[in-house]
Amino acid sequence: MPVNQDVIITCALTGAGDTVGRSPHVPVTPEQIAASAVEAAGAGAAVVHIHVREPETGAPSRDPRLYREVVERIRETGTDVVINLTAGMGGDLVIDPEAPLRQLPGTDLVSGLERLPHVEELLPDICTLDCGSLNFGDGSNLYVSTPDMLRTGAKRIQELGVRPELEIFDTGQLWFAKQLLAEGLLDDPTVFQLCMGIPWGAPAEPGVLQAMVNMLPQGAQWASFALGRMQMPWVAQSILLGGHVRVGLEDNLYLGKGLKATNGQLVERAVRITESLGSRVATPDEARAKLGLRPRA
């Protein structure tokens, strides 16, 4: 079995989901998000994946000023961690099922380029690129990322010299990501995040993950995660198949039944699982080398 011996741990700090009222540990303000990033890095995360929220309400945001404050606060601490900013915001479409051309509240749908101003300004180590559209949960909420949007976004990210993390929610999206590579819109090494268990994308089943791993281009670096109670089993599952891992409050709020977690605690648990499998946790500099990133400034 191709067990990964040197594992990059990513911590997804807060996400965009409706989790703020469900746990006191979900960071909301730039100060809280930055502090949570420092906590996660101290626990062993080489990479922090960052969304921002409106400080007053906890609602998801695309405001570049909030991203700037988070990144500046992290850097001011001197913490050595790889910065991964989401560029997936701006793809939400909520339709009226009786009048599908009418958009409902909750829609935040912009072009591929309009999802990137914070990336253009801050030039993070990594930004995400969500590689396709998806029926996002029950109801009439869609995530929209068309081939034209993806080609435009991938080209701009490439021009900026930022490494895209290719967010893959189903096998067709992986197929299209390989098409982007074939068209020269992605540079090696390609970096994939296999996102499992999000309704209605790829289910969190080991056989499905294995099939997706089998589809990856040669030389790709990849990680995978699953939601909720599957988060920690998926740490082991990913390592055993040769991948890296992601944990954090974006995907799971609990250490155990009824026990609310912090991001640092989730990273600590992932470190223990990694080491119990005989693998070691990669440092930020080792992550930079594996992912083809610029050396630390």
Side-chain angles (χ1 to χ4, degrees):
M1 209 174 259
V3 178
N4 185 5
Q5 298 297 322
D6 297 291
V7 177
I8 299 168
I9 297 177
T10 293
C11 186
L13 302 171
T14 187
D18 185 20
T19 54
V20 172
R22 293 165 52 199
S23 171
H25 302 304
V26 175
V28 173
T29 68
E31 182 178 13
Q32 291 169 346
I33 295 168
S36 199
V38 172
E39 176 198 22
V47 182
V48 287
H49 174 58
I50 299 170
H51 288 249
V52 294
R53 295 177 179 269
E54 294 295 340
E56 296 80 14
T57 65
S61 175
R62 291 189 283 112
D63 189 340
R65 294 172 297 178
L66 297 174
Y67 282 103
R68 184 188 320 122
E69 184 178 348
V70 172
V71 171
E72 288 177 350
R73 284 180 178 273
I74 294 171
R75 288 175 175 164
E76 284 169 0
T77 70
T79 299
D80 185 12
V81 70
V82 175
I83 301 293
N84 175 339
L85 299 185
T86 185
M89 303 298 293
D92 294 319
L93 174 61
V94 185
I95 65 168
D96 183 337
E98 302 303 323
L101 294 180
R102 184 159 69 92
Q103 298 178 10
L104 297 180
T107 294
D108 178 30
L109 184 59
V110 298
S111 72
L113 289 181
E114 288 176 290
R115 303 178 194 188
L116 296 174
H118 60 303
V119 176
E120 294 174 327
E121 176 185 347
L122 298 170
L123 297 177
D125 303 292
I126 300 169
C127 74
T128 61
L129 186 66
D130 291 20
C131 287
S133 301
L134 183 72
N135 286 330
F136 201 81
D138 283 329
S140 297
N141 189 3
L142 310 174
Y143 183 81
V144 178
S145 191
T146 68
D148 284 344
M149 289 175 173
L150 284 164
R151 287 186 171 96
T152 300
K155 182 178 180 181
R156 183 59 181 142
I157 293 166
Q158 187 179 55
E159 290 169 350
L160 293 170
V162 174
R163 178 70 65 197
E165 180 184 84
L166 306 165
E167 307 295 297
I168 305 296
F169 295 89
D170 215 340
T171 52
Q173 297 183 7
L174 179 48
W175 183 11
F176 186 74
K178 292 168 69 175
Q179 179 64 27
L180 292 177
L181 179 63
E183 293 176 12
L185 294 170
L186 301 174
D187 298 322
D188 288 323
T190 47
V191 178
F192 288 82
Q193 184 70 254
L194 306 179
C195 311
M196 316 295 287
I198 293 96
W200 297 105
E205 297 179 3
V208 176
L209 179 61
Q210 178 70 78
M212 295 172 81
V213 170
N214 291 345
M215 291 177 63
L216 291 168
Q218 187 172 3
Q221 292 288 330
W222 67 274
S224 183
F225 71 88
L227 298 187
R229 65 182 182 85
M230 292 300 292
Q231 182 174 82
M232 293 305 163
W234 223 250
V235 170
Q237 186 67 63
S238 298
I239 294 170
L240 291 173
L241 290 179
H244 306 291
V245 303
R246 168 172 139 173
V247 295
L249 294 175
E250 176 171 348
D251 308 318
N252 165 49
L253 300 177
Y254 294 92
L255 272 178
K257 187 173 182 179
L259 182 59
K260 302 284 179 65
T262 68
N263 278 311
Q265 290 170 333
L266 293 172
V267 173
E268 288 170 356
R269 180 71 60 83
V271 169
R272 289 200 296 273
I273 294 170
T274 299
E275 293 176 343
S276 73
L277 293 172
S279 299
R280 59 180 295 276
V281 175
T283 67
D285 277 342
E286 290 168 337
R288 291 183 184 100
K290 284 179 176 288
L291 303 178
L293 306 178
R294 301 180 296 267
R296 188 185 186 197

